Amino acid sequence: MAINWFPGHMAKTRREIKENLKLVDAVIEIRDARIVKSSANPDIEEICGGKPRIILLNKSDLSEKKVTNDWIKELTKENIKVLSVNCVSGEGIKNIKPVLDELLKEKHERYKNKGLVKFTDRVMVVGIPNVGKSSFINKMAKNNIAKTGDRPGVTKSKQWIKTKIGIELMDTPGVLWPKFEDEVVGLNLAFTGAIKDEIMDIETLALRLIERLQNDYPEQLKERYKLTELDENPLLNMENIGRKRGAVIARGEIDYNRVAIMLMDEFRGGKLGNISLERP
Ligand SMILES: Nc1nc2c(ncn2[C@@H]2O[C@H](COP(=O)(O)OP(=O)(O)OP(=O)(O)O)[C@@H](O)[C@H]2O)c(=O)[nH]1
Ligand SMILES: [Mg+2]
């Protein structure tokens, strides 16, 4: 598979994140709610160690609600809390603060016992490319920003985004690598647009998506493209979709490239409805 992530960069990122972990109380790990497993970094447990962690299942506006809730149940642990969010609309963002308070209650007790009432929780944001790290930080900052700047005493170059709700976010989000050696993972990442269409040509990608959808979401596929029935052969379904949408060239031949681009765009834009490509 043609996804490259230079081992040297992986080692450097791992080192940097581990170094930065010393400066924070907790980690916010962002994943894509449609591909909760495929959007996880394979080494996340090892990298984060025992740090309290919140897993945000982002883009929940595009996933199937019931499946997302099943994931929440599956992933929640003593030290790991899971929330579904939409970092574009801001839905679910307000739940983060109470969950973080719960995760850090021992620290908070300690501070309160020392008579400290005003304190800040510092958080690092990590995730694979395109899961919504910047959208998340912008959302938190836009509603709550007070000041961005160097924190004296900590590394000089480190910028923190201060919010009014007692949370500071490290401003360089940790971009982690996905588990790209697994073909199914690669496809899931490509379907959702987490990696650009570089693992295979777009026609093949669209064909593989049709194959998945006709198995897992046949009704939604039929409904979107007004197909009365689906064929077992995904290529025939692709051709029928093309005909329905007028993606034909001379003599009724299908313009596969046009069908593929349209299907991928519509899928990524949520036009086929709420779809979860992975279940617990
Ligand atoms: N539908 C939907 N789209 C989202 C959501 N959050 C982010 N996006 C979109 O996903 C794309 C990637 O978001 P970014 O915030 O740039 O993701 P990132 O993790 O910072 O990406 P990199 O910096 O490239 O690693 C953008 O087009 C966002 O608008 C969400 O909750 N729902
Ligand atoms: Mg970003």
Side-chain angles (χ1 to χ4, degrees):
M1 217 179 289
I3 315 166
N4 290 312
W5 207 293
F6 179 54
H9 293 159
M10 284 165 53
K12 183 166 174 266
T13 304
R14 188 195 305 266
R15 259 195 322 273
E16 278 173 3
I17 290 182
K18 284 192 168 178
E19 202 50 44
N20 286 335
L21 268 179
K22 296 176 191 157
L23 307 175
V24 299
D25 302 292
V27 174
I28 290 185
E29 180 202 353
I30 307 186
R31 296 198 200 174
D32 186 319
R34 295 166 296 176
I35 50 166
V36 173
K37 234 173 95 186
S38 295
S39 60
N41 170 271
D43 301 335
I44 187 76
E45 304 293 333
E46 183 260 326
I47 292 171
C48 287
K51 274 281 170 196
R53 192 178 356 146
I54 297 176
I55 301 176
L56 296 182
L57 305 182
N58 189 35
K59 311 196 187 186
S60 61
D61 53 312
L62 301 174
S63 68
E64 201 185 321
K65 201 177 169 82
K66 187 196 168 295
V67 178
T68 305
N69 286 334
D70 289 346
W71 275 116
I72 292 176
K73 281 190 213 112
E74 171 81 12
L75 296 173
T76 301
K77 308 243 157 60
E78 172 90 24
N79 218 21
I80 302 178
K81 305 288 172 209
V82 191
L83 292 170
S84 70
V85 291
N86 173 346
C87 288
V88 172
S89 71
E91 207 177 320
I93 297 286
K94 65 173 192 316
N95 301 327
I96 294 171
K97 171 74 176 162
V99 164
L100 188 67
D101 285 342
E102 172 70 24
L103 272 176
L104 299 179
K105 69 172 180 264
E106 272 175 35
K107 172 196 162 181
H108 294 178
E109 285 299 321
R110 255 193 340 266
Y111 276 57
K112 277 173 194 152
N113 290 342
K114 285 191 219 153
L116 286 163
V117 280
K118 268 192 81 176
F119 48 83
T120 327
D121 294 322
R122 288 185 195 95
V123 172
M124 177 174 8
V125 179
V126 299
I128 66 160
N130 205 46
V131 281
K133 298 176 295 299
S134 298
S135 305
F136 169 70
I137 289 172
N138 289 341
K139 202 84 213 162
M140 292 287 282
K142 199 160 96 200
N143 301 331
N144 308 296
I145 195 152
K147 179 181 150 261
T148 339
D150 276 355
R151 276 181 48 77
V154 190
T155 318
K156 282 281 175 288
S157 64
K158 204 131 278 138
Q159 299 270 317
W160 294 86
I161 291 164
K162 218 170 167 182
T163 72
K164 285 182 195 149
I165 52 172
I167 301 174
E168 278 182 24
L169 302 170
M170 196 176 276
D171 87 335
T172 46
V175 183
L176 293 164
W177 56 95
K179 194 178 171 199
F180 42 71
E181 62 278 1
D182 180 323
E183 204 221 13
V184 176
V185 172
L187 277 172
N188 285 337
L189 293 168
F191 290 154
T192 54
I195 47 177
K196 292 294 160 211
D197 310 320
E198 62 223 351
I199 63 159
M200 52 177 65
D201 59 90
I202 184 138
E203 290 93 344
T204 310
L205 190 66
L207 187 68
R208 300 295 294 271
L209 180 62
I210 290 171
E211 196 175 25
R212 285 282 282 281
L213 294 177
Q214 70 188 49
N215 289 325
D216 296 349
Y217 290 93
E219 292 312 315
Q220 272 157 268
L221 189 62
K222 282 191 333 204
E223 157 100 24
R224 177 71 193 172
Y225 299 107
K226 307 279 181 280
L227 306 169
T228 39
E229 54 192 319
L230 293 171
D231 200 274
E232 240 178 80
N233 180 352
L235 186 59
L236 293 182
N237 293 326
M238 188 171 180
E239 291 175 353
N240 286 334
I241 292 170
R243 256 176 233 111
K244 286 281 177 185
R245 286 302 177 91
V248 281
I249 0 180
R251 273 177 270 120
E253 236 183 273
I254 301 297
D255 184 344
Y256 294 107
N257 189 257
R258 241 175 84 199
V259 184
I261 291 171
M262 177 207 66
L263 183 89
M264 296 317 302
D265 273 359
E266 295 197 358
F267 173 74
R268 288 170 186 163
K271 300 273 166 47
L272 280 93
N274 291 64
I275 288 175
S276 296
L277 293 172
E278 288 177 324
R279 290 152 199 273

